[in-house]
Amino acid sequence: MLRHGTLVRGVLRVNAKNPNDAYVTLDATPSTCAQKNIPELCGYSVGSSNDIYICGSASRNRAISGDVVAVKILSRKESRYLYKRYRRGEDRRKDRVFEKQRARLQSMADSVREATEDSAPEKNDGEDESDSQESARSGPHIPELFGEVVAIITPNQDRTFVGKITDKMPFKARKDTPPGTLWFVPLDLALPRMVVSNEKSVPKFMDKSTICAVRMGGWPATSMYPQATFLKCVGRRGAIEIETELILEENCVKASEFSDDVLNCLPKTPWQIPQDVLKNRTDLRTSCIFTIDPPTARDLDDAVSCQQLPNGNLLIGVHIADVSFFVRPRTALDKEAQLRATTTYMVQRAYPMLPSVLCEDLCSLNPGVDRLAFSVMWEMKPQSAEVVSTWFGRTVINSACKLSYDDAQNIIDGGHLPESLACYEHVRKGTVPASSKRHAQIEASIQWFYKLSLIMRQRRFDEGALSLNRVRLSFDLDESGAPRDCRSYEIRDSNRLIEEFMLLANMSVAARIEACFPNCALLRRHPPPLQRRLEELCRQLRLSGIDIDTQSAGSIAHSIRNIDDADIRYTVEEMMTAPMQRATYFSTHAVENRSEYRHYALNAPLYTHFTSPIRRYADVIVHRTLEASLAVYDNHVASEHPLLPAYSSPFFPKTLAKGSLTIKRGSALATLVPPPELLSSIAHQCNLRKDAAKKAQEASSKLFLVNYLSSIARNSDAPGIITQAVVTKIRESSFSISSPMFGIESIIYMDRMADRENQVISTDGRNWRLHLWSVERTSIKLVWKVSLPDKKSPEDEIAESLSALIIDDTRHSVVNLECSRSSDETVTQTIRIFGKLSVCIAPVTSPPDLTVKLAMPCINA
């Protein structure tokens, strides 16, 4: 039916906040037959905002997030029926609640004006009235396409989940389930409850608060609930070790050791490059090549080189670890790498895609040892950083040294290589300590890289690239593994230096493999932002005087750069990530319109991942495809391609790229280039694992931030840390804030500042209780009742402790608070969008979380 065009295929995702809502994103352009049978799909753009809406759990037909499914598009009549059954009642209920809330707010606004002696509400000039009303309350968004899942084509392989086990039976299951049945309740609300099939394996006296891991099994068509197999008890929440294991299990990160079958695929150590391999490769061991990485990095998969040419140009090289030489297709090692798909970096350790003997030794471009590499070299004009010609080939290199970003930055700033740095060079007799001439070459190369990177970066952004940076936290750990310091990771010129040349290498390889194999190249695309969400966000920003030009990625970047205040600029960058879609891997055969290959943020027509094969399986596939292209075309492409530069230069190596093949030339295509359908499956797996690894990394960072703030709070007897935040959104009964220092976003509710829950922290020893509030177009007016406590209370002691925990933008600077001791009074406060106020960030250890409360009186508000 897929072939006949009556069904379409795509990837399902379920809304965790409302599991009745699910969406299918098509992973391929609908066929001509499908567009003929389903007119709504005509002109469909892969990855656009017109996803297929799956309404209700019955329409999902037992599929879960990440499944590749076959979908039937419903008629308008069927869509209306589903909407009435599942959504219209909920939308009407929300409307009734909204009207009651508006009436309450209007009454309260009148009281605020009387209390503050304001004669009229905030003036609306009428120009943005429609924007204000639409921003305040958008009507229910009804999707254009409704569908139902008729089959699961490829189930998500990540079917290990964490949650709690209970004997409490769901109401709907009471008729068909025997008493005593154990139920698994997942932490992920997008998943259904499950029946534990191996009840006897569950410990009898297990604490109800214990988190367990299960593997989802079959889901009979006659049952409302799937089966689950109990795997193990993870433990009670709170400790770093338990929480880390929970994060790994929840995101299906393989933390187990590699099997014997996988390890048997590795060469025996100590290993040296065989002579027959060495003689067929381009020998670059005498070239000045070095790595620049974080100081703790062990998997060094990229190195760079720079050489001045007699014609005044530069020979620039990017040399990537040749992982595909060791990871051969269809081996146990290859299958395991494909299953893991990526290395997952947690705060305290990494969980690798490949065995350590590869990622830390044989493939890692460690200094002073011969290593196999896949190289891209460009002849480049020094004044304009314009690429004259490009060369690809398999090489052997000998890295001179391992530089940290700080080392490279010191040289950029006019310094020299550290005297303690281990530095080598390769001569005929072997590897020896580097001469002073080699030291000078390295320093000169870094200066050239820096100058070229500035030109390249400026050109990228002038031509329309967009970079939305988010706060990335870095932790120092003590001997026990607990965080003792936390800071935001600083991106410096040395980081950007490497980034520019890695981007250029990825773009060059993308153009090469797409030109050689237009129907089976693995590329990476980034669709434009979701238009409806982008327009809504820009409408909100306009109300605050910030105008974002959304014509292109470059115009968005230019608008953000024009914001003077650094905190507000960061906050707008953070807000702009909301409508952005994620970048994904795809097979070129699946997307018919070549314009949809484009990477929106990079403003690049073609892009792929080539530069990190030690930690990304997609890069291994790209390396194999590039090798196959060299087998067929050597360093020339038979067909004309507008994105490919010239391949001829008298300064490129003379070694034929065909000579370095790991397999026979005749079988290169069949062995190295996966068929299109298999390539789509690989792309899907890489996308799933990349997203899971990102979620695990973010959860790990949050876990260590909670523990770091908890240790500070314990040592000071205070509930949290006070820092500055920026107001990002105002609603009828709440407002959103963003903390630029920690990258934390939160919502503060007015009701909770007025009732016993009291979402407010006093910093001056007085009792602050919200009495009334009034919501205007871009501001909230708060009326506080402030009183002195009858006697010194724990709140007074907390206030004294908090006065030593104020954090400003510069770092952990202490700000002394002036405590006002006046009698009972009424205080009026106005909060505006992008206004700054003080908040208290308090840790919650079980489960790890952060609570944010307004700190009164506000500092620098």
Side-chain angles (χ1 to χ4, degrees):
M1 295 179 77
L2 282 169
R3 187 176 302 170
H4 296 151
T6 55
L7 301 177
V8 292
R9 58 172 279 167
V11 182
L12 179 76
R13 71 179 190 278
V14 182
N15 184 357
K17 295 182 179 179
N18 184 1
N20 276 327
D21 290 343
Y23 300 86
V24 170
T25 302
L26 301 192
D27 60 358
T29 304
S31 64
T32 304
C33 291
Q35 295 186 44
K36 183 177 179 180
N37 293 330
I38 310 169
E40 293 87 350
L41 294 178
C42 290
Y44 184 94
S45 176
V46 176
S48 64
S49 57
N50 50 344
D51 289 342
I52 300 168
Y53 176 55
I54 310 297
C55 187
S57 57
S59 297
R60 287 206 305 272
N61 193 13
R62 296 165 291 150
I64 64 172
S65 288
D67 287 349
V68 178
V69 295
V71 178
K72 172 189 173 184
I73 305 297
L74 300 181
S75 66
R76 291 184 178 275
K77 183 178 180 180
E78 293 170 316
S79 301
R80 283 197 297 269
Y81 169 77
L82 274 179
Y83 175 73
K84 289 179 182 179
R85 182 177 179 184
Y86 287 98
R87 286 283 298 272
R88 191 168 68 173
E90 178 67 14
D91 290 336
R92 285 179 173 176
R93 185 191 67 79
K94 289 180 179 179
D95 286 338
R96 289 194 297 269
V97 171
F98 176 73
E99 290 305 323
K100 289 181 180 179
Q101 190 178 59
R102 288 299 294 267
R104 177 194 177 201
L105 289 172
Q106 184 60 50
S107 174
M108 196 178 297
D110 295 338
S111 300
V112 170
R113 284 195 292 274
E114 292 176 6
T116 59
E117 299 180 353
D118 283 350
S119 59
E122 182 180 331
K123 183 180 178 182
N124 189 334
D125 56 16
E127 182 180 353
D128 295 322
E129 185 174 356
S130 60
D131 281 352
S132 179
Q133 291 174 353
E134 192 169 354
S135 172
R137 171 71 166 103
S138 299
H141 172 68
I142 302 176
E144 295 180 7
L145 292 175
F146 282 65
E148 63 179 10
V149 176
V150 299
I152 299 173
I153 300 173
T154 307
N156 183 354
Q157 296 183 38
D158 300 338
R159 297 215 161 203
T160 299
F161 306 116
V162 292
K164 297 180 181 180
I165 290 181
T166 179
D167 56 0
K168 290 184 179 180
M169 191 179 302
F171 179 78
K172 294 181 180 179
R174 291 182 179 177
K175 293 182 180 180
D176 305 321
T177 307
T181 300
L182 293 182
W183 294 84
F184 173 73
V185 183
L187 296 182
D188 185 352
L189 299 180
L191 295 168
R193 289 195 175 201
M194 305 177 196
V195 178
V196 180
S197 56
N198 56 338
E199 300 175 358
K200 295 181 180 179
S201 301
V202 181
K204 292 184 178 180
F205 301 102
M206 185 175 62
D207 193 322
K208 292 183 178 180
S209 61
T210 300
I211 302 296
C212 302
V214 304
R215 180 160 184 82
M216 181 177 171
W219 194 340
T222 56
S223 175
M224 293 181 63
Y225 303 97
Q227 300 288 314
T229 302
F230 174 83
L231 297 178
K232 64 178 179 179
C233 291
V234 178
R236 297 184 66 177
R237 305 197 66 172
I240 288 180
E241 297 79 10
I242 298 297
E243 291 295 335
T244 297
E245 186 176 356
L246 188 152
I247 292 169
L248 296 175
E249 294 288 352
E250 191 171 23
N251 293 283
C252 298
V253 177
K254 293 197 71 173
S256 58
E257 298 295 329
F258 291 89
S259 68
D260 290 340
D261 288 342
V262 171
L263 297 178
N264 288 336
C265 297
L266 303 175
K268 295 181 179 180
T269 55
W271 180 85
Q272 289 185 335
I273 301 173
Q275 284 300 313
D276 60 330
V277 174
L278 194 60
K279 70 180 181 180
N280 288 326
R281 291 196 172 227
T282 300
D283 193 343
L284 300 179
R285 287 178 293 177
T286 58
S287 299
C288 181
I289 298 174
F290 51 91
T291 63
I292 305 177
D293 287 281
T296 57
R298 295 182 179 179
D299 48 352
L300 312 181
D301 49 16
D302 59 85
V304 291
S305 63
C306 175
Q307 178 186 345
Q308 288 187 273
L309 300 174
N311 64 355
N313 289 341
L314 298 171
L315 183 62
I316 302 295
V318 166
H319 314 276
I320 307 301
D322 192 358
V323 175
S324 61
F325 177 86
F326 298 95
V327 183
R328 300 298 176 90
R330 300 169 191 155
T331 61
L333 176 60
D334 180 52
K335 293 176 182 177
E336 182 69 16
Q338 181 181 337
L339 185 63
R340 299 191 181 211
T342 184
T343 294
T344 302
Y345 293 93
M346 308 288 273
V347 169
Q348 70 274 51
R349 63 160 296 187
Y351 294 88
M353 179 184 79
L354 299 173
S356 59
V357 68
L358 287 184
C359 58
E360 296 180 11
D361 186 10
L362 300 185
C363 291
S364 184
L365 306 181
N366 299 324
V369 291
D370 295 348
R371 287 290 179 258
L372 301 178
F374 223 138
S375 299
V376 185
M377 290 193 284
W378 306 274
E379 183 182 348
M380 189 176 284
K381 294 181 179 180
Q383 294 82 10
S384 62
E386 177 188 346
V387 174
V388 177
S389 54
T390 308
W391 181 91
F392 302 94
R394 305 186 92 172
T395 57
V396 56
I397 68 171
N398 191 299
S399 175
C401 60
K402 174 191 173 184
L403 296 177
S404 68
Y405 287 118
D406 288 340
D407 295 334
Q409 187 64 45
N410 182 50
I411 295 170
I412 290 172
D413 295 337
H416 298 280
L417 293 174
E419 294 181 1
S420 59
L421 180 71
C423 194
Y424 308 91
E425 62 180 308
H426 187 83
V427 296
R428 288 184 178 181
K429 295 180 179 179
T431 302
V432 298
S435 63
S436 57
K437 182 180 178 181
R438 178 51 55 93
H439 281 79
Q441 285 178 321
I442 295 171
E443 292 175 359
S445 296
I446 291 174
Q447 292 293 351
W448 273 117
F449 281 130
Y450 174 56
K451 292 174 184 176
L452 293 172
S453 68
L454 290 180
I455 299 171
M456 295 161 67
R457 183 176 177 83
Q458 186 63 50
R459 182 164 57 217
R460 272 201 312 115
F461 283 100
D462 288 346
E463 293 176 354
L466 170 66
S467 177
L468 298 176
N469 296 316
R470 307 190 71 174
V471 172
R472 178 182 164 193
L473 298 178
S474 178
F475 298 89
D476 291 334
L477 308 182
D478 61 22
E479 294 179 355
S480 66
R484 63 186 176 193
D485 193 16
C486 169
R487 59 188 175 277
S488 58
Y489 186 80
E490 183 182 4
I491 303 296
R492 306 171 74 185
D493 291 331
S494 54
N495 300 80
R496 297 190 180 99
L497 176 156
I498 290 298
E499 178 188 20
E500 289 305 317
F501 291 97
M502 297 304 120
L503 289 174
L504 180 60
N506 288 334
M507 293 177 191
S508 299
V509 172
R512 165 81 190 195
I513 63 175
E514 196 271 340
C516 295
F517 309 112
N519 292 320
C520 48
L522 182 66
L523 301 182
R524 187 163 175 81
R525 63 189 296 272
H526 183 210
L530 300 172
Q531 195 60 32
R532 184 174 64 89
R533 292 186 185 178
L534 182 62
E535 290 173 356
E536 182 180 344
L537 174 58
C538 291
R539 190 164 50 243
Q540 295 169 5
L541 294 174
R542 274 199 307 273
L543 294 175
S544 302
I546 296 177
D547 191 18
I548 302 293
D549 183 355
T550 60
Q551 291 298 315
S552 65
S555 63
I556 292 176
H558 182 72
S559 301
I560 293 175
R561 285 197 299 270
N562 286 339
I563 300 173
D564 294 329
D565 188 288
D567 285 341
I568 295 178
R569 185 167 59 250
Y570 158 78
T571 302
V572 173
E573 280 191 24
E574 190 85 12
M575 295 170 71
M576 289 302 299
T577 61
M580 295 294 166
Q581 300 193 72
R582 66 185 179 93
T584 56
Y585 299 107
F586 72 102
S587 171
T588 48
H589 88 282
V591 181
E592 288 185 4
N593 189 345
R594 202 165 174 275
S595 66
E596 294 175 13
Y597 293 3
R598 193 170 197 86
H599 196 291
Y600 176 81
L602 294 175
N603 194 32
L606 295 173
Y607 190 70
T608 193
H609 275 163
F610 164 76
T611 55
S612 297
I614 290 178
R615 60 184 178 90
R616 289 190 304 234
Y617 186 74
D619 301 54
V620 177
I621 295 295
V622 170
H623 276 229
R624 291 174 183 165
T625 310
L626 181 59
E627 179 184 353
S629 79
L630 296 175
V632 176
Y633 300 109
D634 197 72
N635 249 306
H636 304 275
V637 179
S639 61
E640 293 294 327
H641 195 285
L643 297 176
L644 284 176
Y647 285 96
S648 58
S649 171
F651 306 105
F652 284 153
K654 306 303 180 186
T655 311
L656 288 177
K658 297 176 183 178
S660 62
L661 298 179
T662 57
I663 59 174
K664 293 182 179 179
R665 183 184 175 192
S667 59
L669 287 178
T671 306
L672 296 175
V673 182
E677 290 300 328
L678 176 58
L679 192 60
S680 282
S681 176
I682 292 172
H684 176 60
Q685 174 68 4
C686 290
N687 289 328
L688 287 179
R689 295 310 315 144
K690 188 172 181 65
D691 289 345
K694 182 181 178 182
K695 285 176 60 180
Q697 185 174 352
E698 291 173 348
S700 178
S701 181
K702 182 178 180 181
L703 168 64
F704 276 79
L705 177 59
V706 169
N707 276 267
Y708 171 67
L709 296 181
S710 297
S711 65
I712 291 181
R714 281 195 304 270
N715 294 332
S716 62
D717 297 324
I721 291 178
I722 294 184
T723 186
Q724 199 173 73
V726 177
V727 179
T728 58
K729 192 172 184 179
I730 287 177
R731 302 175 183 85
E732 283 76 12
S733 58
S734 64
F735 57 91
S736 301
I737 62 95
S738 173
S739 168
M741 185 166 194
F742 294 112
I744 296 171
E745 297 177 340
S746 185
I747 300 176
I748 295 179
Y749 295 91
M750 263 75 84
D751 281 334
R752 297 180 186 177
M753 293 190 291
D755 62 16
R756 292 181 179 179
E757 189 173 345
N758 200 11
Q759 196 175 5
V760 61
I761 286 288
S762 172
T763 60
D764 65 357
R766 295 186 294 170
N767 294 326
W768 290 77
R769 184 61 56 88
L770 184 61
H771 179 53
L772 298 168
W773 69 89
S774 173
V775 181
E776 302 293 350
R777 186 169 54 135
T778 59
S779 65
I780 300 179
K781 187 167 287 186
L782 307 179
V783 179
W784 299 88
K785 290 293 187 181
V786 188
S787 62
L788 288 173
D790 295 334
K791 59 181 181 178
K792 191 169 183 179
S793 64
E795 286 76 13
D796 289 309
E797 297 174 359
I798 287 174
E800 293 173 4
S801 299
L802 283 171
S803 65
L805 282 176
I806 308 298
I807 296 180
D808 66 11
D809 296 333
T810 60
R811 190 70 172 90
H812 294 176
S813 301
V814 175
V815 178
N816 293 320
L817 293 176
E818 295 181 2
C819 296
S820 172
R821 289 291 175 177
S822 60
S823 58
D824 295 2
E825 59 178 319
T826 299
V827 175
T828 303
Q829 177 190 16
T830 300
I831 295 177
R832 302 183 186 277
I833 294 182
F834 296 118
K836 297 179 183 179
L837 43 76
S838 302
V839 295
C840 177
I841 301 175
V844 178
T845 54
S846 184
D849 204 355
L850 296 166
T851 61
V852 179
K853 299 185 179 184
L854 188 62
M856 293 299 295
C858 281
I859 303 169
N860 300 327

